[in-house]
Amino acid sequence: MEGEHVNHTRDDLTVEEARARILAGLLPLEGEAVDLPGALGRVLAEEIVADGDLPPHANAAMDGYALKAEDTVGATPQRPRRLRVIDESAAGHPASAAVRPGTAIRIMTGAWIPDGADAVLRFEDARLDGDWVDVLAAVPQGKDLRPAGEDVSRSERVLARGNRLRAAEIGMLSALGRETVRVTRRPRVGILATGDELVPAGAALAPGKIRDANGAANAAQVLTAGGEPVRLGIASDRESDITRRLRAGLAEGLDLLLVSGGVSVGDFDRVKEVLAAGGEVAFWRVRMKPGRPMAFGHLAAPTREIGVPVLGMPGNPVSAMVSFVVFAAPAIRALLGAAEVLPPVRRAILLDAVVHKDGRRHFVRVRLEERDGRTVARLTGPQGSGILSSMVAADALAVLPEELESVPAGARVEVIPLR
Ligand code: AMP
Ligand code: MG
């Protein structure tokens, strides 16, 4: 039954149209300072400009002798050049003397290059004899020496806003002298599962009941995408219960709300009525499979000028998860201000033929494998939208374009990695 106030948009939307409408109103959240290793996986909310050279001073790339390259010209094992060793430079303990013509300073990897030196002679090309060293090979200027600023020079822009921090970025930030970094606040994402048949994982099954999969799966997906899940439990199909739980969630200060179930055309799909009554919400049919029925809009919330964006996803567990990958994850990345918002795509050869004559874009569960230097994909099993086991077996979704009626075995397709 459809309530009078439900504003159905009957026109089918493409995935891109639906996603563009969702992303249109989403701006990056504010930044917060976070300690470095803890910022792993977070999105930079500031531009990182080096305030000094990296390395800060020229240093040795090898163990050996810091010297003047001109003092080694013509040196061979048969005709060595002899230099006086006047000091030592170890990592963290620079030499106090400077290299003058005819002298050398013993130096270890990472140690500061002393004033006056312009090259390092490796130990294997040197023979120590008391206070003297025999140079057995000629070395050019700059040999085995890492100049100041070789890696990063002062004022260089090193990392951009929107970069996701991995171990490499964390290491770079630390090397640049940062203990904390500004990253966008993690979006608080409310998750509500709906359906009279649902019981929580810990509850006993009664006749007609099934355990909730979506609440947990969507919460895990929120974590993976960089958000903070706020579980709102399971609502029955009664409007009053759905309303109560949504209100409780909205009072928690959510940045995004995900509701699964109750958005198709069944008799008890009451989520639509509740969403329509709570704000501006459109109901779509998206030209995709799984995951056609969808709701998107904004729900009025205390303390917010624009309501909380809400995404209503179909209840079948695989539909809910695929809808998350295609719509909710990009929404979270937009809130994070991430440089890459759309699902990452790669290419693979689909080894199985797939027929689909319904004009929808199919997201099929596949397993990727490297074979003879190519990435190949195989269906993981039955593709029904309630079949969780083929989702568990999958490490990617292959994307079959809506224009095609069938995809022959061996076709090159786009895949969205799930790991
Ligand atoms: P609906 O979108 O509410 O019509 O639900 C479609 C199918 O998904 C039904 O078979 C539901 O029982 C199932 N379903 C809905 N929500 C969940 C959930 N949270 N966990 C597992 N199955 C669900
Ligand atoms: Mg339902």
Side-chain angles (χ1 to χ4, degrees), residues 194-195 197 237 262 269:
T194 71
E197 72 280 30
D237 285 319
D269 290 335

Side-chain angles (χ1 to χ4, degrees), residues 55 106 396:
R106 199 172 158 85

Side-chain angles (χ1 to χ4, degrees), residues 289-328:
K289 184 181 178 175
R292 169 150 67 173
M294 239 183 65
F296 176 73
H298 291 84
L299 295 184
T303 78
R304 276 183 70 116
E305 208 172 308
I306 306 167
V308 174
V310 59
L311 205 60
M313 310 186 293
N316 270 305
V318 176
S319 310
M321 268 188 270
V322 170
S323 299
F324 187 99
V325 169
V326 175
F327 301 111

Side-chain angles (χ1 to χ4, degrees), residues 265-279:
V265 293
D267 287 351
F268 302 100
D269 290 335
R270 288 288 149 64
V271 171
K272 289 188 294 188
E273 274 84 354
V274 175
L275 294 183

